[in-house]
Amino acid sequence: MLGTLGFTLINGQFQEHISAENRGLAYGDGLFETILVRDSRPLWLEDHLCRLSEAAKQLAIPCDLVKLKRDCALLLTRIDQPFAVLKIVLTRGHVSRGYTPHHAPSERIVSVSNYTQNRNAWERGIDLALCQTPLSEQTQLAGIKHLNRLEQVLAAEELLRRGYPEGLMMQRGLIVEGSRSNVFCVANDVLITPSLSQGGVRGIMRQHIIKHAIKLGIDVRIRDIGISTLQRAEEVFVCNSVFGLWPAKKIECMHKSIGPVSRLLQREFDTYFYV
Amino acid sequence: MLGTLGFTLINGQFQEHISAENRGLAYGDGLFETILVRDSRPLWLEDHLCRLSEAAKQLAIPCDLVKLKRDCALLLTRIDQPFAVLKIVLTRGHVSRGYTPHHAPSERIVSVSNYTQNRNAWERGIDLALCQTPLSEQTQLAGIKHLNRLEQVLAAEELLRRGYPEGLMMQRGLIVEGSRSNVFCVANDVLITPSLSQGGVRGIMRQHIIKHAIKLGIDVRIRDIGISTLQRAEEVFVCNSVFGLWPAKKIECMHKSIGPVSRLLQREFDTYFYV
């Protein structure tokens, strides 16, 4: 077990504690990224840093990519495991009491933890729940991987209680994403994924799946997914940039087969997530 | 300036740093309370602890009130200023990577900071904005003072930019609360405040205002406040348990007078917030 002992950099220094006044703690005023590391190589690091930087700009949090890259490079040299996860947290730094953000240096927390791939879920698929925990709508934060994740904690608690490895979260009757993933379905040979304009995280793996699918000649549509689309769909899968692509065998009581589109896309990414 | 140097207790110890793995930082997985302290006496401490304890139960975060009271008592002895703010943060403790909450001891962060009352706002009223930053709906977190406060940070940034001391936040065209307060309006001699069933924080000052208003024979209704109610209202005020009750002179371009109900209620609480 790697743990994070000696594997956390705070503002570039090996440390394990942050100020109790950090706005990340006080208000969730910050962003994060989790990145798969294989044999000390981070997967799609540039994409993650690009998303982080864009979201930081949107929230007006200073983001120094040169320093972040240096932090990541330093930690990557310390990893002696085949798989690991690199986590970057960027917060608005110190709090003076009150919500108002004032100009202050942001804080970077970069850490590494152990990770084991779940090849079984990739190959044989998983059962998905429809979460009872709803996803709230917030256009101003939609797409951003910010630190306000209580809804996902509630959903994860629900999934643990109900015995599901992952579940889909809904807004006003529409499927938006998984609790820690994006969702796709295949209906009438069209690959569909929600727009995330009202909420949800714009996943890096989602981007890559869309790009590869287009390259493979698959018809891709960014469109709402209601329950009826989900029922009609021949294939459903969830994805993120750490576990890859997990096909659904079942969503609640709806049985699905692991179809050709899921398998075709998995082949595109197999070498990224496994040997 | 008091600051928090030497005035922060983490799990009962004078400390200023928390683990970078704390779930409060990672996901905003926790709760907080801010309490006005006058001459070393906390205002409505029992009410705040009761709300914290109930919310902790709802989120299944362990909450030891005996230890929290001991922390507060210890800090209160150190305050030599007439006004201060006591802040309690309770988080789900340490994170193992991932949203799923596991049984672990929670973490208590109790701190004190300096505070200056704004008597001018209390006496002469303030201008209120209608925030363009919307408030998201989340029935499962409604009423709770949790650490997911990015919306309030966005609203505070908007208010700073537009030059307002406070603003009202809306959900689907209905007024829910202020960015750091609850809202009341008086229309046809009825005191109205929103139910907070879809979002917002159930304020301690709000509770006390409702209780005192009923005692004074004022007709109180928990009801939606739309823009038309706001326009029609003779009086509008915002409140919280730190600044008390601030009447609105104006909401955007709608002029209001500081009326008899606002003044009557202020008289009930004057000794709590001022000499």
Side-chain angles (χ1 to χ4, degrees):
Chain A
M1 187 73 188
L2 242 184
T4 56
L5 192 69
F7 283 82
T8 300
L9 285 176
I10 298 178
N11 301 323
Q13 305 293 317
F14 280 102
Q15 262 177 275
E16 286 170 27
H17 290 79
I18 61 153
S19 166
E21 293 184 299
N22 191 291
R23 288 179 67 96
L25 173 70
Y27 308 130
D29 193 3
L31 302 160
F32 75 113
E33 294 288 334
T34 45
I35 301 153
L36 182 65
V37 179
R38 284 195 54 195
D39 302 318
S40 299
R41 284 193 303 273
L43 180 61
W44 301 322
L45 179 62
E46 285 295 331
D47 293 335
H48 284 279
L49 290 175
C50 180
R51 176 173 68 176
L52 183 71
S53 164
E54 279 172 14
K57 199 170 168 187
Q58 201 176 324
L59 296 183
I61 298 176
C63 177
D64 187 329
L65 285 182
V66 173
K67 286 181 181 167
L68 275 172
K69 281 180 193 175
R70 204 168 53 202
D71 294 348
C72 293
L74 177 55
L75 283 190
L76 288 168
T77 62
R78 304 273 178 129
I79 303 170
D80 56 3
Q81 311 261 325
F83 287 95
V85 167
L86 184 69
K87 182 171 178 179
I88 301 174
V89 177
L90 183 75
T91 79
R92 208 186 299 271
H94 282 65
V95 70
S96 55
R97 213 185 66 77
Y99 294 129
T100 309
H102 296 288
H103 291 289
S106 55
E107 300 226 359
R108 317 182 306 278
I109 304 159
V110 185
S111 61
V112 174
S113 57
N114 207 1
Y115 184 68
T116 309
Q117 274 295 20
N118 185 344
R119 174 133 213 156
N120 198 46
W122 172 282
E123 281 176 2
R124 299 188 190 179
I126 57 164
D127 286 358
L128 285 175
L130 284 178
C131 292
Q132 281 146 25
T133 310
L135 196 71
S136 62
E137 288 178 49
Q138 177 50 274
T139 49
Q140 293 196 25
L141 295 170
I144 292 182
K145 202 167 165 85
H146 54 68
L147 296 175
N148 279 205
R149 293 289 151 206
L150 255 179
E151 289 176 354
Q152 283 70 30
V153 171
L154 293 179
E157 190 279 324
E158 179 195 334
L159 293 170
L160 180 72
R161 185 165 30 86
R162 297 176 60 201
Y164 281 95
E166 177 56 321
L168 303 178
M169 298 185 73
M170 304 175 76
Q171 266 173 358
R172 302 196 198 190
L174 296 173
I175 313 289
V176 179
E177 60 177 0
S179 78
R180 55 192 169 110
S181 60
N182 288 120
V183 61
F184 284 82
C185 65
V186 180
N188 299 323
D189 296 322
V190 177
L191 184 65
I192 304 167
T193 195
S195 74
L196 311 178
S197 60
Q198 308 294 311
V201 174
R202 203 157 282 123
I204 301 296
M205 182 64 179
R206 173 179 177 274
Q207 282 175 23
H208 281 272
I209 285 176
I210 292 170
K211 203 171 70 182
H212 280 247
I214 291 169
K215 191 194 71 182
L216 291 165
I218 298 166
D219 190 1
V220 182
R221 308 245 178 103
I222 310 297
R223 215 177 61 192
D224 287 344
I225 299 179
I227 294 289
S228 63
T229 306
L230 204 66
Q231 279 176 320
R232 216 175 54 237
E234 299 107 42
E235 302 177 43
V236 175
F237 61 84
V238 290
C239 67
N240 75 27
S241 58
V242 173
F243 69 60
L245 188 163
W246 288 351
K249 285 184 298 183
K250 223 167 90 172
I251 305 147
E252 299 284 345
C253 58
M254 298 175 253
H255 289 266
K256 299 291 170 190
S257 56
I258 304 177
V261 177
S262 304
R263 290 305 190 201
L264 187 62
L265 287 166
Q266 280 188 325
R267 274 199 298 278
E268 291 282 306
F269 296 103
D270 194 43
T271 56
Y272 293 87
F273 293 95
Y274 300 98
V275 180
Chain B
M1 188 74 189
L2 242 184
T4 56
L5 191 70
F7 283 82
T8 301
L9 285 175
I10 298 177
N11 301 323
Q13 304 294 316
F14 280 102
Q15 262 178 275
E16 286 170 28
H17 290 80
I18 60 152
S19 166
E21 291 184 300
N22 191 291
R23 287 178 68 97
L25 173 70
Y27 307 129
D29 193 3
L31 301 159
F32 74 114
E33 294 289 333
T34 45
I35 300 152
L36 181 66
V37 179
R38 284 194 55 193
D39 302 318
S40 298
R41 286 193 303 275
L43 180 60
W44 301 322
L45 179 62
E46 285 295 332
D47 292 334
H48 283 280
L49 290 174
C50 179
R51 177 173 67 176
L52 182 72
S53 164
E54 280 173 13
K57 199 170 168 188
Q58 201 175 324
L59 296 184
I61 298 176
C63 178
D64 187 329
L65 285 183
V66 173
K67 287 182 180 166
L68 275 172
K69 280 180 192 173
R70 203 167 54 200
D71 294 347
C72 293
L74 178 54
L75 282 190
L76 289 168
T77 62
R78 304 272 178 130
I79 302 171
D80 56 4
Q81 312 261 325
F83 287 93
V85 167
L86 184 69
K87 181 170 178 177
I88 302 174
V89 177
L90 183 75
T91 79
R92 208 185 298 271
H94 281 65
V95 68
S96 55
R97 213 185 69 76
Y99 294 128
T100 310
H102 296 288
H103 292 290
S106 55
E107 300 225 359
R108 317 183 305 280
I109 303 159
V110 185
S111 61
V112 175
S113 57
N114 207 1
Y115 185 68
T116 309
Q117 273 295 19
N118 185 346
R119 174 132 216 159
N120 199 46
W122 172 283
E123 282 176 1
R124 300 189 189 178
I126 57 163
D127 287 357
L128 285 175
L130 285 179
C131 292
Q132 281 146 26
T133 309
L135 196 71
S136 61
E137 287 177 50
Q138 178 50 275
T139 48
Q140 293 196 26
L141 294 170
I144 292 183
K145 202 168 166 83
H146 53 69
L147 296 175
N148 278 205
R149 292 290 151 206
L150 254 180
E151 291 177 352
Q152 282 69 30
V153 171
L154 293 179
E157 191 279 325
E158 180 195 333
L159 294 170
L160 180 71
R161 186 164 31 86
R162 297 176 59 199
Y164 281 94
E166 177 56 320
L168 303 178
M169 298 185 74
M170 303 175 75
Q171 265 173 359
R172 302 197 198 191
L174 296 173
I175 314 289
V176 179
E177 62 177 358
S179 77
R180 54 192 169 109
S181 60
N182 289 119
V183 60
F184 284 82
C185 65
V186 181
N188 300 324
D189 297 322
V190 177
L191 184 65
I192 304 167
T193 195
S195 74
L196 311 178
S197 60
Q198 308 294 311
V201 174
R202 204 157 281 120
I204 300 296
M205 182 64 181
R206 173 179 176 273
Q207 282 175 22
H208 281 272
I209 285 176
I210 293 171
K211 202 171 71 181
H212 280 247
I214 291 169
K215 191 194 74 183
L216 291 164
I218 298 167
D219 190 0
V220 182
R221 307 246 178 102
I222 309 297
R223 214 176 61 190
D224 286 345
I225 299 179
I227 294 288
S228 63
T229 306
L230 204 65
Q231 280 177 319
R232 215 175 55 236
E234 300 108 39
E235 300 178 44
V236 174
F237 61 83
V238 290
C239 66
N240 75 27
S241 59
V242 173
F243 69 60
L245 187 164
W246 287 352
K249 286 183 297 182
K250 224 167 90 173
I251 305 145
E252 298 283 344
C253 58
M254 298 175 251
H255 290 265
K256 298 291 170 191
S257 56
I258 304 177
V261 176
S262 303
R263 290 306 190 200
L264 187 64
L265 287 165
Q266 280 187 327
R267 273 199 297 279
E268 291 283 307
F269 296 102
D270 193 45
T271 56
Y272 293 87
F273 293 95
Y274 300 97
V275 180

